[in-house]
Amino acid sequence: MSLRWHPDRLRTRVLDALVAPQRSDAVARSRVAGAARERFVSGDSIDEAVVTAARLRRTNRLAAIHPLLPEATDAAGVEVTVSEAVTAIERVAPVTSGGDYRSEIYLAPEQLAPGVDPGPAADALHRVCVAGDDHRVDVTLRSGPHDDIDALLDLVRGARQEHPRLTTSLVARRHRSEADALALASSGARVRLVRGGAGEPRSIAWEDPHEVDSAFARCLATLLGSGVHTVVATHEPTLLDPADGLADQSGRGPEGLEYQFFLGADSDLQLRTADAGHRVRVLVPYGPGWLEHLHDLARRPSGVRRLLETLSHRA
């Protein structure tokens, strides 16, 4: 058996070990986790998230409120998601919306349990979208595990009949994503495109960074060429400049392409992008699942660099 490890895969194994149940409590109490939490998570409550969203709005940045809730495994868990999502929508809307600018709530599909029972998941998503429509807050779903993609796309397809502004996320590094991008673009769906962190096997996802970047560019070209609302959710410099170029080629103005960034990450880049006239949205996480959020952030290519910056007290 080969002893060679792909760097992304090795980093993923180490990070997964750190958040394993037998170690997670100790990690959560550590200095690095505490410093990272302060930088990358708005706090424990929706009140703290709303304060952060209002601060971002004063610097021409929009917010995507992200409740860090546990995965739902039954009807009670789904109800927790709906209740928290509706409350967040009601609280953030008066603070940040106005004109053609809308706030957003960002949910993980696992919080709606579409793989457990599609019926209740569809009903739950409909109720969240109704609250969003009433308060001019858009709803975005992240991509979720690879095995659940078809269930997620079915869920989105059904909900979009009544809620066309519903946005779904697409992980560019997965082999199937180019075909999914084409299908979503053909249906007029709003799409949030992410490069994707490491950890998935090479049978379903690209591992080489250059192949991942190329897949991202191909998916983005498909989406922009179709005219659908597209969100570029990446901090990688090698992808941001080409995204600008593709947007120009497709005839979109500065606001025709939305950029989404993590709270606390590359703040100077966020401000420069917003000051250049681009639409910038920042993911504002809050709640009990903060360690899992930091784990997800660290699995991305520049995540370890950001954690080291946090420890050295750099912005």
Side-chain angles (χ1 to χ4, degrees), residues 19-50:
V19 297
Q22 63 270 30
R23 298 186 181 90
S24 59
D25 287 346
V27 172
R29 293 192 299 269
S30 68
R31 183 169 69 92
V32 61
R37 180 186 186 187
E38 183 176 349
R39 176 173 173 180
F40 299 115
V41 180
S42 64
D44 292 326
S45 70
I46 183 58
D47 294 335
E48 292 163 296
V50 168

Side-chain angles (χ1 to χ4, degrees), residues 266-285:
D266 302 314
S267 296
D268 289 344
L269 172 62
Q270 295 179 24
L271 292 170
R272 289 198 307 271
T273 305
D275 290 343
H278 296 288
R279 186 163 295 197
V280 170
R281 193 176 301 276
V282 179
L283 198 66
V284 180

Side-chain angles (χ1 to χ4, degrees), residues 62-66 104-107 139-142 167 169 191-195 216 229-236 240 257-263 265-266 269-270 273 278-284 300 306:
L62 304 173
I65 299 295
H66 181 24
E104 178 179 299
I105 185 165
Y106 177 73
L107 297 174
V139 179
T140 292
L141 295 178
R142 68 176 292 174
T167 304
S169 300
V191 179
R192 173 182 178 268
L193 184 65
V194 302
R195 186 181 187 274
F216 186 99
H229 179 87
T230 304
V231 178
V232 171
T234 181
H235 287 253
E236 303 307 318
L240 291 173
L257 180 65
E258 183 175 305
Y259 292 91
Q260 189 176 99
F261 300 104
F262 285 108
L263 180 69
D266 302 314
L269 172 62
Q270 295 179 24
T273 305
H278 296 288
R279 186 163 295 197
V280 170
R281 193 176 301 276
V282 179
L283 198 66
V284 180
R300 298 167 191 275
R306 295 192 184 102

